[in-house]
Amino acid sequence: MHRQIQRPTGAFIGASWLALAAGVIAFVVGLWNASMALNEKGYYFTVLMYGLFSAVSLQKSVRDRLEGVPVTGLYYGLCWVSLGLCVMLLAIGLWNATLALSEKGFYAMAFLLALFGSVAVQKNVRDLALLGDSHDAREPVAES
């Protein structure tokens, strides 16, 4: 079975990058301007970076499985646990933070927007790479 991959539109590619940039920049600018201790800012920044990595890793492993690329059950499960852990760490941190409810909502929405953007960007990058390479990546390309 061969799945046909459609080229993502320029609008979707742009919207994906915009969502990623808007989420990350809003989250980081919010941290920069927050009146919290530096270790607290570091905690939230680390959760953001860990979340971005785990979301992309999960998306890649789901896509690999769909395309028949071997992914161990252990790694696949760890990807899900990792993403869940990121969301849980952010939720617990915000629940216990002495921030206004509007600030907590801001960080949660910026975090989720950044995660969505990272998954969409990774999907587009992968689709474009597959469409750009009509040959098998393991075979050398003959140059003329």
Side-chain angles (χ1 to χ4, degrees):
M1 181 173 105
H2 188 279
R3 288 187 28 177
Q4 184 172 355
I5 298 171
Q6 294 182 336
R7 178 175 295 280
T9 64
F12 184 66
I13 292 169
S16 300
W17 279 103
L18 183 64
L20 175 60
V24 170
I25 290 169
F27 195 94
V28 170
V29 168
L31 283 180
W32 183 269
N33 292 318
S35 59
M36 60 178 76
L38 191 57
N39 64 332
E40 220 176 333
K41 291 180 180 185
Y43 171 82
Y44 289 115
F45 182 74
T46 302
V47 168
L48 174 66
M49 293 297 109
Y50 177 37
L52 293 173
F53 176 79
S54 64
V56 168
S57 186
L58 176 60
Q59 196 276 344
K60 182 184 179 336
S61 63
V62 167
R63 179 82 178 258
D64 282 349
R65 280 188 158 195
L66 285 173
E67 294 176 358
V69 177
V71 176
T72 65
L74 178 62
Y75 184 77
Y76 186 70
L78 284 173
C79 288
W80 277 107
V81 169
S82 185
L83 184 62
L85 187 60
C86 293
V87 173
M88 187 179 71
L89 285 170
L90 182 75
I92 290 170
L94 290 176
W95 181 269
N96 293 309
T98 56
L99 300 170
L101 195 55
S102 59
E103 288 178 287
K104 292 178 181 185
F106 166 80
Y107 286 114
M109 290 297 101
F111 181 77
L112 294 175
L113 180 61
L115 291 185
F116 167 77
S118 68
V119 168
V121 165
Q122 199 275 340
K123 178 210 175 296
N124 291 336
V125 167
R126 185 161 178 165
D127 286 348
L128 291 173
L130 286 173
L131 290 169
D133 296 334
S134 59
H135 64 279
D136 187 357
R138 294 171 294 223
E139 296 176 2
V141 178
E143 296 190 25
S144 44

